[in-house]
Amino acid sequence: MTQFKAAESPFKADKTESGMAGVTLMNNQIGVVVAEVMDRQENVTVTHLPAMIRVDCVGRMDFVYDEISEALGEEEGFYDAAEFEENMSTHYGKMIHMDDRTVMFGNMEEAAEFIGDMLPPVVNKS
């Protein structure tokens, strides 16, 4: 009798921390320019796909709004968190929206430290 064994799936889960973060952008005029700006960062990889653009990083990446506005040929303040959210469909990693940028972290401890640095100091009331 012949015994058959199922092939191992290439889609199995790997719960090992990757230290990566990323977003999926629409493949439109704004998404292409955002990807070009982000591709200037050393630790960022941009992958153009037919219907979307993947922007992934190891560690941290910053979507600096004024830098993106300038690349789009727009006034400062044109590109903001709302524009970012409109053009982005998915993300992984820790995302922090600030007034002047969106920051992505692949390492949760680094993100927590960053957030902690922004919090007011604890006042001891004793």
Side-chain angles (χ1 to χ4, degrees):
M1 179 172 188
T2 306
Q3 292 284 333
F4 294 99
K5 184 177 175 187
E8 189 174 334
S9 172
F11 304 108
K12 65 183 177 182
D14 180 357
K15 297 183 187 234
T16 308
E17 186 177 326
S18 68
M20 296 182 70
V23 299
T24 303
L25 301 174
M26 285 193 274
N27 193 354
N28 61 15
Q29 297 90 331
I30 292 177
V32 168
V33 173
V34 172
E36 286 174 3
V37 170
M38 296 307 295
D39 204 22
R40 298 177 195 154
Q41 295 182 37
E42 236 176 75
N43 60 325
V44 173
T45 302
V46 173
T47 307
H48 292 269
L49 302 164
M52 64 186 138
I53 304 169
R54 291 284 319 153
V55 180
D56 300 288
C57 77
V58 174
R60 171 184 171 166
M61 67 178 160
D62 291 48
F63 292 81
V64 180
Y65 301 151
D66 284 347
E67 193 177 322
I68 295 168
S69 291
E70 182 180 337
L72 287 166
E74 298 287 349
E75 300 274 329
E76 281 186 6
F78 169 80
Y79 194 85
D80 58 10
E83 192 70 41
F84 177 83
E85 288 284 348
E86 184 176 326
N87 219 310
M88 182 211 51
S89 58
T90 62
H91 81 280
Y92 68 99
K94 183 70 173 173
M95 176 187 295
I96 302 169
H97 289 302
M98 301 176 68
D99 291 341
D100 68 334
R101 68 189 65 220
T102 293
V103 185
M104 299 284 305
F105 292 95
N107 179 294
M108 295 304 132
E109 289 80 18
E110 187 181 346
E113 186 177 307
F114 182 80
I115 292 169
D117 289 345
M118 294 187 314
L119 296 174
V122 176
V123 177
N124 194 353
K125 295 184 179 189
S126 49

